[in-house]
Amino acid sequence: MSLQTPTTYNPEAILLVLDGVLMDGFADEGITIEREARSEMTEGMDGGVTFEFNASRICKVTATFRAASNGVHRMQEIKDLVDADLRAGGAHPVVTGLAQDPISGSRVSTGHVFFLNQPHPDLASKSGTVQYEMIFANYDYEIATNVPA
């Protein structure tokens, strides 16, 4: 008989809210937040320095759920409503979002969430996880100082 170490996480540290719906059922990967680089400094051969500032306010949020979790069903319901509105020829519906990455302490919020991918159910059954990628446009960013350990 082999002993397995149970996998645990603090659900208070992982946070994803879309359209007022609190998501749960995250896999070990949880949430990642990738912001574009805000500035870049380049030094030329002659010693001259240029500084570029990127005013983009877009970040990518990736949420990974256990395949059988309620979070997958909730995410899919929201995504299906967005897709139905777009297929009907309407404008992209407003989807609000708040995400917190417990590892970096990054927290982003926005009034404009766009889904990037359509998870495939066959892949989920093989891997045991479902991953959603979203763009948070015109986001507000902060470093959370009260992230539970």
Side-chain angles (χ1 to χ4, degrees):
M1 181 169 117
S2 66
L3 296 176
Q4 293 182 337
T5 305
T7 301
T8 61
Y9 70 96
N10 183 347
E12 294 176 7
I14 299 177
L15 181 63
L16 179 62
V17 179
L18 292 178
D19 260 4
V21 178
L22 178 64
M23 301 298 163
D24 61 358
F26 295 100
D28 291 342
E29 296 88 351
I31 291 178
T32 58
I33 298 170
E34 300 172 42
R35 297 186 313 143
E36 290 187 10
R38 299 290 290 170
S39 61
E40 183 177 321
M41 185 176 78
T42 307
E43 186 173 349
M45 290 179 64
D46 63 353
V49 175
T50 60
F51 183 78
E52 296 177 41
F53 180 75
N54 180 357
S56 173
R57 304 246 338 226
I58 294 176
C59 69
K60 180 178 167 185
V61 176
T62 304
T64 306
F65 297 91
R66 294 186 316 272
S69 71
N70 288 333
V72 171
H73 301 294
R74 291 181 183 135
M75 288 290 287
Q76 199 58 49
E77 285 175 359
I78 293 171
K79 186 169 184 330
D80 287 347
L81 289 172
V82 168
D83 291 347
D85 281 354
L86 292 174
R87 278 193 302 272
H92 194 285
V94 175
V95 177
T96 60
L98 168 69
Q100 178 175 299
D101 174 6
I103 295 171
S104 68
S106 299
R107 183 183 295 160
V108 292
S109 60
T110 185
H112 307 284
V113 175
F114 301 92
F115 289 91
L116 292 178
N117 69 328
Q118 174 64 49
H120 196 280
D122 290 340
L123 296 176
S125 64
K126 291 177 184 173
S127 68
T129 61
V130 177
Q131 191 172 74
Y132 287 87
E133 295 175 337
M134 299 159 279
I135 291 291
F136 278 38
N138 293 327
Y139 65 88
D140 291 318
Y141 175 80
E142 64 179 289
I143 297 292
T145 56
N146 59 348
V147 177

